[in-house]
Amino acid sequence: MKKILLTLVLSFTTLLSAQAAHPQCGETELATIMGEMKDDMKAIKGAAKAKDSDKVTLIAQQLLVTVQKADAYVPLAISDKKELTTQQQAKFDDYKKGVSALEKAVTELTLAKTADEQKAALGKIGKAAKKGHKAFKMDCDD
Ligand code: HEM
């Protein structure tokens, strides 16, 4: 009986640790960049709500610069090392495509002439983020 209990406890803890996120989860340079993007998006949505189109354009230009920085960092879910295996490199290339899609949508936002055009571009940004997170963002268990 004792043995069974011990086995149960051990397998349970192994299960837990297998699910635990990476110690650097949410602490990477990419996470910091993403945090900046989140702040910009919040400001953009506020400006759009206040019908301040010029402000939307201005912050979108700022966001574009930040998005371009994100291209250089390997998501933790792919690797925590600089050297990538062929398979990891392929995933990183996919990630970069996702960042490009986001860059395109943000560029569209900077060029949007009307509130409707801005709204459409914001929709594309939201979709790109959702897709990118589903594929490449690790869940931090905090
Ligand atoms: C404007 C659009 C986006 C916003 C506002 C955004 C926001 C965020 C936020 C708030 C986090 C969590 C950061 C933390 O843990 O402190 C995050 C993480 C992450 N996001 Fe985004 N994101 C966007 C687009 C994307 C796209 C398009 C991709 C992929 C192509 C992506 C990939 C990731 C990854 C991989 C992480 C985890 C960071 C890591 O691996 O270290 N995000 N994002």
Side-chain angles (χ1 to χ4, degrees):
M1 187 64 189
K2 246 187 185 170
K3 236 182 186 175
I4 295 175
L5 266 180
L6 193 70
T7 316
L8 272 176
V9 168
L10 278 179
S11 49
F12 188 57
T13 38
T14 322
L15 201 73
L16 276 183
S17 59
Q19 280 177 340
H22 194 284
Q24 273 156 276
C25 199
E27 313 284 336
T28 60
E29 281 183 76
L30 183 57
T32 305
I33 290 170
M34 289 283 164
E36 283 170 29
M37 282 160 50
K38 182 182 167 189
D39 292 344
D40 280 344
M41 280 303 285
K42 204 174 161 195
I44 288 172
K45 283 177 187 166
K49 219 173 170 185
K51 302 201 187 311
D52 191 344
S53 286
D54 289 348
K55 196 171 173 187
V56 171
T57 308
L58 211 70
I59 311 168
Q61 285 164 349
Q62 201 175 297
L63 174 63
L64 187 59
V65 178
T66 315
V67 171
Q68 282 159 351
K69 281 198 278 180
D71 192 63
Y73 296 92
V74 178
L76 203 53
I78 296 176
S79 176
D80 59 2
K81 298 189 180 62
K82 270 213 168 128
E83 297 296 323
L84 301 181
T85 64
T86 314
Q87 207 183 11
Q88 286 169 340
Q89 183 60 50
K91 283 189 192 166
F92 185 39
D93 290 344
D94 257 2
Y95 161 79
K96 286 189 190 194
K97 277 184 206 155
V99 175
S100 289
L102 175 63
E103 199 180 325
K104 203 175 150 210
V106 176
T107 302
E108 209 175 298
L109 182 60
T110 64
L111 299 173
K113 296 273 177 286
T114 63
D116 275 354
E117 281 176 15
Q118 287 186 338
K119 210 173 154 188
L122 279 170
K124 287 182 192 171
I125 293 172
K127 273 195 185 146
K130 203 170 172 187
K131 198 173 164 191
H133 288 167
K134 198 172 168 209
F136 305 107
K137 186 174 171 282
M138 184 185 274
D139 270 335
C140 304
D141 50 358
D142 43 9

